[in-house]
Amino acid sequence: MTQRCALITGGTTGLGEAIARKLHDAGCTVLVTHMAGSAGAAEWLEKQAQEGYQFKVYEVDVADYDSCQELGRNIEADGFQVDILVNNAGITRDGTFRKLAKEKWDAVLRTNLDSMYNVTTSYVEGMAARGWGRIVNISSVNGTKGQFGQTNYSAAKAGIQGFTKALAQEVARKGVTVNAVSPGYVATAMVEAVNPEILEKQIISQIPMGRLGRPGEVAALVAFLCSEDAGYITGANVAINGGMHMY
Ligand code: CAA
């Protein structure tokens, strides 16, 4: 099988890290990004290497168009052609709408939604020209059902679903698939930041499986969507939420 090159934004933590490892297991060359200015990349790489995982880390601010353009140029200069893109980087800035500062709205929309344009634009042309590509955009159960305290996040994640379906149509004839994955509540730092009482009483109690998801469960789904076998799946929004919201 051809060795594919995968780029995972936000690939050094949480879901992104699990996805990076799963695609490495599948034989891909894996590039990951972490937030520009954040520390710890060297230690992270070392820890991964001790466990048999080789990655290349790039710094980028996915909310910033110029930073993403620079990322694209750096990846090209290093001789990589991105076949698989996982738009995973995302943040939360929760708060009820009536108290939601403009900064919290902007930060979430820029990081979670503008990033779809900022990042994808550098790689889609190459995928189409080579006649093969996989793009997986990480949305959320809350983009479909909405969530108290998350007008910004729910709006951005719903936007990702629309973006996915539109782009999927545009590149379908070029061998490029574009899908969204909508995880529910997964055991990562993002979910652990929710007040434990709210998490237990309002959220886990609403999950038919009665537990949080595991990062590896989401990563396995993403890896399948990136595989050769998933070539006829495009424009889908695949739910993985323990039954929390069924559609
Ligand atoms: N539905 C209706 N009313 C609710 C409610 C709900 N789900 N939750 C709280 N309320 C009510 C409270 O009873 C309270 O009512 P009173 O004022 O009448 O007493 C009021 O709303 C509280 O409103 P506040 O504006 O004061 O809210 P707060 O500041 O206490 O808390 C919040 C707001 C921080 C957003 C908190 O509700 C919260 O953390 N909610 C969970 C948000 C969440 O699920 N985030 C997910 C993060 S992980 C992620 O995003 C990953 C993913 O993709 C799933």
Side-chain angles (χ1 to χ4, degrees):
M1 196 190 99
T2 330
Q3 184 166 24
R4 305 291 187 188
C5 176
L7 172 66
I8 296 108
T9 63
T12 63
T13 55
L15 274 187
E17 179 182 305
I19 294 165
R21 289 170 69 106
K22 199 66 93 180
L23 288 174
H24 188 282
D25 290 343
C28 297
T29 300
V30 182
L31 318 178
V32 299
T33 75
H34 79 136
M35 178 60 182
S38 63
E43 293 78 3
W44 182 82
L45 275 174
E46 199 181 307
K47 182 177 162 275
Q48 299 297 324
Q50 280 165 9
E51 294 169 14
Y53 290 90
Q54 306 294 335
F55 299 115
K56 188 149 177 56
V57 182
Y58 292 88
E59 274 198 2
V60 71
D61 178 359
V62 295
D64 183 84
Y65 176 73
D66 293 338
S67 174
C68 293
Q69 290 288 296
E70 195 186 337
L71 172 71
R73 287 192 296 271
N74 290 340
I75 287 177
E76 197 181 337
D78 288 343
F80 297 112
Q81 290 185 329
V82 172
D83 306 303
I84 296 170
L85 170 63
V86 183
N87 280 311
N88 163 76
I91 59 168
T92 52
R93 294 288 182 272
D94 292 354
T96 51
F97 182 71
R98 288 152 72 193
K99 293 188 210 158
L100 194 73
K102 175 86 166 86
E103 294 72 45
K104 287 190 172 183
W105 176 267
D106 288 343
V108 169
L109 268 289
R110 286 186 183 142
T111 303
N112 297 7
L113 186 56
D114 288 1
S115 59
M116 294 295 131
Y117 179 83
N118 295 344
V119 176
T120 309
T121 193
S122 295
Y123 311 103
V124 74
E125 211 58 62
M127 291 180 191
R130 294 189 295 278
W132 197 95
R134 298 281 185 266
I135 299 174
V136 177
N137 302 319
I138 304 300
S139 181
S140 165
V141 64
N142 293 341
T144 312
K145 77 164 191 57
Q147 168 61 38
F148 185 100
Q150 283 200 312
T151 49
N152 49 2
Y153 187 86
S154 299
K157 293 296 188 179
I160 290 175
Q161 296 174 17
F163 169 77
T164 299
K165 292 174 197 174
L167 183 60
Q169 293 177 38
E170 293 184 16
V171 294
R173 293 193 180 199
K174 303 289 180 192
V176 181
T177 68
V178 189
N179 292 290
V181 165
S182 284
Y185 285 72
V186 179
T188 63
M190 185 183 266
V191 167
E192 280 153 18
V194 176
N195 174 319
E197 206 181 315
I198 293 180
L199 191 61
E200 199 54 52
K201 290 202 179 130
Q202 292 185 18
I203 292 169
I204 298 180
S205 65
Q206 300 302 311
I207 303 173
M209 287 192 189
R211 66 166 176 89
L212 298 178
R214 299 180 192 106
E217 293 173 324
V218 178
L221 170 60
V222 173
F224 174 68
L225 291 172
C226 295
S227 70
E228 303 293 331
D229 283 347
Y232 201 55
I233 305 175
T234 200
N237 172 26
V238 186
I240 174 162
N241 60 38
M244 186 183 202
H245 187 69
M246 301 181 184
Y247 56 88

Short mmCIF file of all heavy atoms in Angstrom, two decimals, residues 108-169:
data_model
loop_
_atom_site.label_atom_id
_atom_site.label_comp_id
_atom_site.label_asym_id
_atom_site.label_seq_id
_atom_site.Cartn_x
_atom_site.Cartn_y
_atom_site.Cartn_z
N VAL A 108 -13.61 31.25 19.60
CA VAL A 108 -14.11 29.92 19.23
C VAL A 108 -14.43 29.85 17.74
O VAL A 108 -14.09 28.87 17.07
CB VAL A 108 -15.32 29.54 20.12
CG1 VAL A 108 -16.03 28.31 19.59
CG2 VAL A 108 -14.85 29.31 21.55
N LEU A 109 -15.06 30.90 17.22
CA LEU A 109 -15.39 30.86 15.78
C LEU A 109 -14.12 30.87 14.93
O LEU A 109 -14.03 30.15 13.92
CB LEU A 109 -16.30 32.04 15.41
CG LEU A 109 -17.81 31.77 15.48
CD1 LEU A 109 -18.26 30.84 14.36
CD2 LEU A 109 -18.26 31.19 16.80
N ARG A 110 -13.14 31.64 15.33
CA ARG A 110 -11.90 31.71 14.54
C ARG A 110 -11.12 30.39 14.61
O ARG A 110 -10.65 29.88 13.61
CB ARG A 110 -11.01 32.86 15.03
CG ARG A 110 -11.58 34.19 14.59
CD ARG A 110 -10.66 35.34 14.94
NE ARG A 110 -11.29 36.58 14.56
CZ ARG A 110 -11.23 37.71 15.25
NH1 ARG A 110 -10.53 37.76 16.37
NH2 ARG A 110 -11.84 38.79 14.82
N THR A 111 -11.00 29.88 15.82
CA THR A 111 -10.18 28.66 15.97
C THR A 111 -10.89 27.44 15.41
O THR A 111 -10.27 26.60 14.75
CB THR A 111 -9.85 28.43 17.46
OG1 THR A 111 -9.19 29.59 17.95
CG2 THR A 111 -8.95 27.23 17.66
N ASN A 112 -12.19 27.34 15.67
CA ASN A 112 -12.88 26.10 15.31
C ASN A 112 -13.46 26.13 13.89
O ASN A 112 -13.57 25.07 13.27
CB ASN A 112 -14.01 25.81 16.30
CG ASN A 112 -13.49 25.58 17.71
OD1 ASN A 112 -12.31 25.75 17.99
ND2 ASN A 112 -14.37 25.19 18.61
N LEU A 113 -13.83 27.31 13.40
CA LEU A 113 -14.47 27.34 12.08
C LEU A 113 -13.60 28.00 11.00
O LEU A 113 -13.40 27.41 9.94
CB LEU A 113 -15.84 28.04 12.16
CG LEU A 113 -16.67 28.01 10.88
CD1 LEU A 113 -16.91 26.58 10.38
CD2 LEU A 113 -18.00 28.73 11.09
N ASP A 114 -13.05 29.18 11.28
CA ASP A 114 -12.19 29.81 10.27
C ASP A 114 -11.02 28.89 9.92
O ASP A 114 -10.53 28.90 8.79
CB ASP A 114 -11.62 31.15 10.78
CG ASP A 114 -12.68 32.25 10.85
OD1 ASP A 114 -13.85 31.97 10.52
OD2 ASP A 114 -12.33 33.37 11.25
N SER A 115 -10.61 28.08 10.88
CA SER A 115 -9.49 27.16 10.65
C SER A 115 -9.79 26.19 9.51
O SER A 115 -8.86 25.71 8.84
CB SER A 115 -9.19 26.38 11.92
OG SER A 115 -10.35 25.64 12.31
N MET A 116 -11.06 25.89 9.28
CA MET A 116 -11.41 24.96 8.19
C MET A 116 -10.91 25.54 6.87
O MET A 116 -10.33 24.83 6.05
CB MET A 116 -12.93 24.74 8.12
CG MET A 116 -13.51 24.04 9.31
SD MET A 116 -12.92 22.34 9.50
CE MET A 116 -12.44 22.37 11.22
N TYR A 117 -11.15 26.83 6.68
CA TYR A 117 -10.64 27.50 5.47
C TYR A 117 -9.12 27.63 5.54
O TYR A 117 -8.41 27.22 4.62
CB TYR A 117 -11.28 28.88 5.31
CG TYR A 117 -10.75 29.58 4.08
CD1 TYR A 117 -11.29 29.32 2.83
CD2 TYR A 117 -9.66 30.44 4.17
CE1 TYR A 117 -10.76 29.92 1.70
CE2 TYR A 117 -9.13 31.04 3.05
CZ TYR A 117 -9.68 30.77 1.81
OH TYR A 117 -9.15 31.35 0.69
N ASN A 118 -8.66 28.20 6.65
CA ASN A 118 -7.24 28.55 6.76
C ASN A 118 -6.32 27.36 6.50
O ASN A 118 -5.30 27.49 5.83
CB ASN A 118 -6.94 29.08 8.18
CG ASN A 118 -7.64 30.38 8.47
OD1 ASN A 118 -8.12 31.06 7.56
ND2 ASN A 118 -7.71 30.75 9.74
N VAL A 119 -6.68 26.20 7.03
CA VAL A 119 -5.79 25.04 6.92
C VAL A 119 -6.03 24.30 5.61
O VAL A 119 -5.10 24.01 4.85
CB VAL A 119 -5.99 24.07 8.12
CG1 VAL A 119 -5.13 22.82 7.96
CG2 VAL A 119 -5.66 24.78 9.45
N THR A 120 -7.31 24.01 5.33
CA THR A 120 -7.63 23.11 4.21
C THR A 120 -7.16 23.67 2.86
O THR A 120 -6.76 22.92 1.98
CB THR A 120 -9.15 22.85 4.19
OG1 THR A 120 -9.55 22.45 5.50
CG2 THR A 120 -9.52 21.76 3.20
N THR A 121 -7.22 24.98 2.75
CA THR A 121 -6.90 25.61 1.47
C THR A 121 -5.49 25.27 0.97
O THR A 121 -5.24 25.23 -0.23
CB THR A 121 -7.15 27.14 1.57
OG1 THR A 121 -7.13 27.68 0.28
CG2 THR A 121 -6.14 27.85 2.44
N SER A 122 -4.58 24.96 1.86
CA SER A 122 -3.20 24.66 1.43
C SER A 122 -3.04 23.26 0.84
O SER A 122 -2.04 22.98 0.21
CB SER A 122 -2.23 24.78 2.61
OG SER A 122 -2.17 26.10 3.07
N TYR A 123 -3.99 22.35 1.10
CA TYR A 123 -3.76 20.94 0.75
C TYR A 123 -4.74 20.36 -0.26
O TYR A 123 -4.46 19.34 -0.89
CB TYR A 123 -3.74 20.07 2.03
CG TYR A 123 -2.84 20.70 3.06
CD1 TYR A 123 -3.37 21.42 4.14
CD2 TYR A 123 -1.46 20.69 2.88
CE1 TYR A 123 -2.54 22.07 5.05
CE2 TYR A 123 -0.62 21.35 3.77
CZ TYR A 123 -1.17 22.04 4.85
OH TYR A 123 -0.34 22.70 5.72
N VAL A 124 -5.89 21.01 -0.41
CA VAL A 124 -6.95 20.39 -1.23
C VAL A 124 -6.55 20.33 -2.71
O VAL A 124 -6.86 19.36 -3.40
CB VAL A 124 -8.29 21.13 -0.98
CG1 VAL A 124 -8.34 22.49 -1.63
CG2 VAL A 124 -9.47 20.29 -1.40
N GLU A 125 -5.81 21.34 -3.16
CA GLU A 125 -5.40 21.38 -4.57
C GLU A 125 -4.48 20.21 -4.90
O GLU A 125 -4.65 19.53 -5.92
CB GLU A 125 -4.68 22.71 -4.83
CG GLU A 125 -4.83 23.23 -6.23
CD GLU A 125 -6.29 23.44 -6.62
OE1 GLU A 125 -6.98 24.25 -5.97
OE2 GLU A 125 -6.72 22.74 -7.56
N GLY A 126 -3.52 19.95 -4.03
CA GLY A 126 -2.58 18.84 -4.24
C GLY A 126 -3.30 17.50 -4.23
O GLY A 126 -3.03 16.64 -5.06
N MET A 127 -4.24 17.34 -3.30
CA MET A 127 -5.00 16.07 -3.25
C MET A 127 -5.76 15.87 -4.56
O MET A 127 -5.74 14.78 -5.14
CB MET A 127 -6.00 16.10 -2.09
CG MET A 127 -5.38 16.06 -0.71
SD MET A 127 -6.71 16.11 0.54
CE MET A 127 -5.77 16.38 2.04
N ALA A 128 -6.43 16.93 -5.02
CA ALA A 128 -7.22 16.82 -6.25
C ALA A 128 -6.31 16.51 -7.44
O ALA A 128 -6.62 15.66 -8.27
CB ALA A 128 -8.01 18.10 -6.47
N ALA A 129 -5.17 17.17 -7.50
CA ALA A 129 -4.25 16.97 -8.63
C ALA A 129 -3.72 15.53 -8.64
O ALA A 129 -3.55 14.93 -9.70
CB ALA A 129 -3.09 17.96 -8.54
N ARG A 130 -3.49 14.96 -7.45
CA ARG A 130 -2.96 13.59 -7.37
C ARG A 130 -4.07 12.55 -7.44
O ARG A 130 -3.82 11.35 -7.52
CB ARG A 130 -2.14 13.40 -6.08
CG ARG A 130 -0.87 14.24 -6.03
CD ARG A 130 0.03 13.87 -4.86
NE ARG A 130 -0.56 14.16 -3.57
CZ ARG A 130 -0.55 15.36 -2.97
NH1 ARG A 130 0.03 16.38 -3.58
NH2 ARG A 130 -1.11 15.56 -1.80
N GLY A 131 -5.33 13.02 -7.37
CA GLY A 131 -6.47 12.11 -7.52
C GLY A 131 -6.78 11.27 -6.30
O GLY A 131 -7.49 10.25 -6.40
N TRP A 132 -6.27 11.67 -5.15
CA TRP A 132 -6.56 10.91 -3.92
C TRP A 132 -6.41 11.84 -2.71
O TRP A 132 -5.42 12.55 -2.58
CB TRP A 132 -5.60 9.73 -3.75
CG TRP A 132 -6.07 8.69 -2.77
CD1 TRP A 132 -6.75 7.54 -3.07
CD2 TRP A 132 -5.90 8.68 -1.32
NE1 TRP A 132 -7.02 6.82 -1.92
CE2 TRP A 132 -6.51 7.50 -0.82
CE3 TRP A 132 -5.32 9.56 -0.41
CZ2 TRP A 132 -6.55 7.18 0.53
CZ3 TRP A 132 -5.36 9.24 0.95
CH2 TRP A 132 -5.97 8.05 1.41
N GLY A 133 -7.37 11.79 -1.84
CA GLY A 133 -7.26 12.57 -0.60
C GLY A 133 -8.35 12.21 0.38
O GLY A 133 -9.40 11.66 0.01
N ARG A 134 -8.04 12.46 1.64
CA ARG A 134 -9.01 12.23 2.71
C ARG A 134 -8.97 13.45 3.63
O ARG A 134 -7.90 13.81 4.14
CB ARG A 134 -8.64 10.99 3.55
CG ARG A 134 -8.62 9.67 2.78
CD ARG A 134 -10.03 9.12 2.60
NE ARG A 134 -10.03 7.82 1.98
CZ ARG A 134 -10.15 7.60 0.66
NH1 ARG A 134 -10.27 8.60 -0.19
NH2 ARG A 134 -10.16 6.36 0.20
N ILE A 135 -10.15 14.03 3.84
CA ILE A 135 -10.24 15.15 4.79
C ILE A 135 -11.28 14.76 5.83
O ILE A 135 -12.41 14.37 5.48
CB ILE A 135 -10.63 16.46 4.07
CG1 ILE A 135 -9.57 16.83 3.02
CG2 ILE A 135 -10.80 17.59 5.10
CD1 ILE A 135 -9.93 18.02 2.14
N VAL A 136 -10.89 14.80 7.09
CA VAL A 136 -11.84 14.52 8.17
C VAL A 136 -11.86 15.73 9.09
O VAL A 136 -10.79 16.18 9.59
CB VAL A 136 -11.45 13.25 8.97
CG1 VAL A 136 -12.42 13.04 10.13
CG2 VAL A 136 -11.46 12.02 8.05
N ASN A 137 -13.04 16.28 9.29
CA ASN A 137 -13.20 17.47 10.13
C ASN A 137 -13.87 17.06 11.44
O ASN A 137 -14.93 16.43 11.43
CB ASN A 137 -14.05 18.50 9.40
CG ASN A 137 -13.44 18.87 8.05
OD1 ASN A 137 -12.22 19.04 7.97
ND2 ASN A 137 -14.26 18.99 7.02
N ILE A 138 -13.25 17.43 12.55
CA ILE A 138 -13.82 17.04 13.84
C ILE A 138 -14.87 18.07 14.27
O ILE A 138 -14.55 19.22 14.59
CB ILE A 138 -12.72 16.88 14.92
CG1 ILE A 138 -11.64 15.87 14.46
CG2 ILE A 138 -13.36 16.45 16.24
CD1 ILE A 138 -12.13 14.46 14.17
N SER A 139 -16.12 17.63 14.21
CA SER A 139 -17.24 18.45 14.66
C SER A 139 -17.57 18.01 16.08
O SER A 139 -16.66 17.66 16.86
CB SER A 139 -18.42 18.29 13.70
OG SER A 139 -19.51 19.08 14.10
N SER A 140 -18.83 18.00 16.45
CA SER A 140 -19.21 17.62 17.83
C SER A 140 -20.70 17.32 17.88
O SER A 140 -21.48 17.89 17.12
CB SER A 140 -18.91 18.77 18.78
OG SER A 140 -19.57 18.57 20.02
N VAL A 141 -21.07 16.47 18.82
CA VAL A 141 -22.48 16.24 19.09
C VAL A 141 -23.19 17.58 19.36
O VAL A 141 -24.35 17.77 18.99
CB VAL A 141 -22.67 15.27 20.29
CG1 VAL A 141 -22.12 15.86 21.59
CG2 VAL A 141 -24.12 14.87 20.47
N ASN A 142 -22.45 18.52 19.92
CA ASN A 142 -23.07 19.79 20.27
C ASN A 142 -23.28 20.70 19.06
O ASN A 142 -24.02 21.68 19.13
CB ASN A 142 -22.27 20.49 21.37
CG ASN A 142 -22.35 19.70 22.67
OD1 ASN A 142 -23.24 18.87 22.82
ND2 ASN A 142 -21.43 19.93 23.59
N GLY A 143 -22.64 20.37 17.94
CA GLY A 143 -22.92 21.08 16.69
C GLY A 143 -24.25 20.64 16.10
O GLY A 143 -24.86 21.36 15.30
N THR A 144 -24.71 19.48 16.47
CA THR A 144 -25.97 18.95 15.96
C THR A 144 -27.11 19.24 16.92
O THR A 144 -28.18 19.67 16.51
CB THR A 144 -25.86 17.42 15.75
OG1 THR A 144 -24.65 17.15 15.06
CG2 THR A 144 -27.03 16.87 14.96
N LYS A 145 -26.88 19.00 18.22
CA LYS A 145 -27.99 19.13 19.16
C LYS A 145 -28.00 20.45 19.92
O LYS A 145 -28.99 20.78 20.56
CB LYS A 145 -28.01 17.95 20.15
CG LYS A 145 -26.98 18.00 21.26
CD LYS A 145 -27.33 17.03 22.37
CE LYS A 145 -26.47 17.24 23.62
NZ LYS A 145 -26.51 18.56 24.22
N GLY A 146 -26.89 21.22 19.85
CA GLY A 146 -26.78 22.42 20.68
C GLY A 146 -26.48 22.04 22.12
O GLY A 146 -26.73 20.90 22.53
N GLN A 147 -25.86 22.97 22.86
CA GLN A 147 -25.55 22.69 24.27
C GLN A 147 -25.66 23.97 25.08
O GLN A 147 -25.10 25.01 24.68
CB GLN A 147 -24.13 22.10 24.38
CG GLN A 147 -23.56 22.03 25.80
CD GLN A 147 -24.38 21.17 26.75
OE1 GLN A 147 -24.91 20.12 26.36
NE2 GLN A 147 -24.53 21.61 28.00
N PHE A 148 -26.37 23.90 26.16
CA PHE A 148 -26.45 25.01 27.12
C PHE A 148 -25.03 25.49 27.43
O PHE A 148 -24.17 24.70 27.80
CB PHE A 148 -27.12 24.50 28.41
CG PHE A 148 -27.38 25.57 29.44
CD1 PHE A 148 -28.64 26.13 29.59
CD2 PHE A 148 -26.36 25.99 30.29
CE1 PHE A 148 -28.87 27.10 30.55
CE2 PHE A 148 -26.59 26.97 31.24
CZ PHE A 148 -27.84 27.52 31.38
N GLY A 149 -24.80 26.79 27.28
CA GLY A 149 -23.48 27.34 27.60
C GLY A 149 -22.49 27.28 26.46
O GLY A 149 -21.32 27.61 26.65
N GLN A 150 -22.96 26.87 25.27
CA GLN A 150 -22.02 26.72 24.15
C GLN A 150 -22.58 27.28 22.83
O GLN A 150 -22.48 26.63 21.79
CB GLN A 150 -21.67 25.24 23.94
CG GLN A 150 -20.69 24.69 24.97
CD GLN A 150 -20.01 23.42 24.47
OE1 GLN A 150 -20.67 22.51 23.99
NE2 GLN A 150 -18.69 23.36 24.58
N THR A 151 -23.15 28.48 22.86
CA THR A 151 -23.64 29.04 21.59
C THR A 151 -22.49 29.18 20.60
O THR A 151 -22.66 28.89 19.40
CB THR A 151 -24.29 30.42 21.80
OG1 THR A 151 -23.41 31.24 22.57
CG2 THR A 151 -25.65 30.30 22.48
N ASN A 152 -21.34 29.62 21.09
CA ASN A 152 -20.19 29.81 20.19
C ASN A 152 -19.71 28.47 19.63
O ASN A 152 -19.56 28.30 18.41
CB ASN A 152 -19.06 30.57 20.92
CG ASN A 152 -18.72 29.98 22.30
OD1 ASN A 152 -19.28 28.97 22.73
ND2 ASN A 152 -17.78 30.62 23.00
N TYR A 153 -19.49 27.52 20.49
CA TYR A 153 -18.95 26.21 20.09
C TYR A 153 -19.96 25.46 19.21
O TYR A 153 -19.60 24.88 18.19
CB TYR A 153 -18.64 25.43 21.37
CG TYR A 153 -17.92 24.12 21.18
CD1 TYR A 153 -16.53 24.06 21.10
CD2 TYR A 153 -18.63 22.92 21.13
CE1 TYR A 153 -15.87 22.84 20.98
CE2 TYR A 153 -17.97 21.71 21.00
CZ TYR A 153 -16.60 21.67 20.93
OH TYR A 153 -15.95 20.45 20.81
N SER A 154 -21.24 25.49 19.61
CA SER A 154 -22.26 24.78 18.83
C SER A 154 -22.36 25.38 17.43
O SER A 154 -22.51 24.66 16.44
CB SER A 154 -23.62 24.84 19.52
OG SER A 154 -23.54 24.23 20.79
N ALA A 155 -22.29 26.72 17.34
CA ALA A 155 -22.36 27.39 16.03
C ALA A 155 -21.17 26.99 15.16
O ALA A 155 -21.32 26.66 13.98
CB ALA A 155 -22.40 28.90 16.21
N ALA A 156 -19.99 27.01 15.74
CA ALA A 156 -18.79 26.67 14.96
C ALA A 156 -18.83 25.21 14.51
O ALA A 156 -18.52 24.88 13.36
CB ALA A 156 -17.54 26.93 15.80
N LYS A 157 -19.25 24.33 15.42
CA LYS A 157 -19.26 22.90 15.08
C LYS A 157 -20.35 22.57 14.06
O LYS A 157 -20.18 21.67 13.23
CB LYS A 157 -19.40 22.06 16.35
CG LYS A 157 -18.18 22.15 17.28
CD LYS A 157 -16.93 21.57 16.62
CE LYS A 157 -15.74 21.47 17.57
NZ LYS A 157 -14.54 20.88 16.93
N ALA A 158 -21.48 23.30 14.12
CA ALA A 158 -22.50 23.14 13.08
C ALA A 158 -21.96 23.66 11.75
O ALA A 158 -22.21 23.07 10.69
CB ALA A 158 -23.77 23.89 13.47
N GLY A 159 -21.21 24.74 11.80
CA GLY A 159 -20.60 25.29 10.58
C GLY A 159 -19.67 24.28 9.93
O GLY A 159 -19.63 24.16 8.70
N ILE A 160 -18.96 23.55 10.73
CA ILE A 160 -18.05 22.52 10.20
C ILE A 160 -18.84 21.47 9.41
O ILE A 160 -18.41 20.99 8.36
CB ILE A 160 -17.26 21.85 11.35
CG1 ILE A 160 -16.26 22.83 11.93
CG2 ILE A 160 -16.58 20.56 10.88
CD1 ILE A 160 -15.50 22.31 13.16
N GLN A 161 -20.02 21.15 9.89
CA GLN A 161 -20.84 20.15 9.19
C GLN A 161 -21.26 20.67 7.81
O GLN A 161 -21.22 19.92 6.82
CB GLN A 161 -22.05 19.77 10.05
CG GLN A 161 -21.63 19.08 11.36
CD GLN A 161 -22.78 18.80 12.31
OE1 GLN A 161 -23.94 18.82 11.93
NE2 GLN A 161 -22.46 18.54 13.58
N GLY A 162 -21.63 21.92 7.73
CA GLY A 162 -22.00 22.51 6.43
C GLY A 162 -20.81 22.59 5.50
O GLY A 162 -20.89 22.25 4.31
N PHE A 163 -19.69 23.04 6.03
CA PHE A 163 -18.45 23.13 5.26
C PHE A 163 -18.11 21.77 4.66
O PHE A 163 -17.76 21.64 3.48
CB PHE A 163 -17.33 23.61 6.19
CG PHE A 163 -15.94 23.50 5.62
CD1 PHE A 163 -15.49 24.42 4.69
CD2 PHE A 163 -15.09 22.47 6.02
CE1 PHE A 163 -14.20 24.32 4.15
CE2 PHE A 163 -13.81 22.37 5.49
CZ PHE A 163 -13.36 23.29 4.56
N THR A 164 -18.24 20.73 5.48
CA THR A 164 -17.89 19.37 5.06
C THR A 164 -18.74 18.93 3.87
O THR A 164 -18.23 18.39 2.88
CB THR A 164 -18.10 18.41 6.25
OG1 THR A 164 -17.24 18.83 7.31
CG2 THR A 164 -17.81 16.97 5.89
N LYS A 165 -20.04 19.16 3.99
CA LYS A 165 -20.94 18.70 2.93
C LYS A 165 -20.72 19.46 1.62
O LYS A 165 -20.84 18.89 0.53
CB LYS A 165 -22.39 18.84 3.38
CG LYS A 165 -22.74 17.88 4.52
CD LYS A 165 -24.13 18.15 5.04
CE LYS A 165 -24.32 17.51 6.41
NZ LYS A 165 -25.61 17.87 7.01
N ALA A 166 -20.44 20.75 1.72
CA ALA A 166 -20.21 21.54 0.51
C ALA A 166 -18.91 21.14 -0.17
O ALA A 166 -18.86 20.88 -1.38
CB ALA A 166 -20.20 23.03 0.86
N LEU A 167 -17.84 21.06 0.61
CA LEU A 167 -16.54 20.71 0.01
C LEU A 167 -16.57 19.28 -0.54
O LEU A 167 -15.99 19.01 -1.59
CB LEU A 167 -15.42 20.87 1.06
CG LEU A 167 -14.00 20.62 0.54
CD1 LEU A 167 -13.63 21.57 -0.60
CD2 LEU A 167 -12.97 20.74 1.67
N ALA A 168 -17.29 18.39 0.14
CA ALA A 168 -17.37 17.00 -0.33
C ALA A 168 -17.92 16.95 -1.75
O ALA A 168 -17.43 16.18 -2.59
CB ALA A 168 -18.26 16.18 0.62
N GLN A 169 -18.91 17.78 -2.03
CA GLN A 169 -19.48 17.79 -3.38
C GLN A 169 -18.48 18.32 -4.40
O GLN A 169 -18.40 17.82 -5.52
CB GLN A 169 -20.74 18.67 -3.39
CG GLN A 169 -21.87 18.06 -2.57
CD GLN A 169 -23.10 18.96 -2.53
OE1 GLN A 169 -23.45 19.60 -3.51
NE2 GLN A 169 -23.75 19.01 -1.39
#
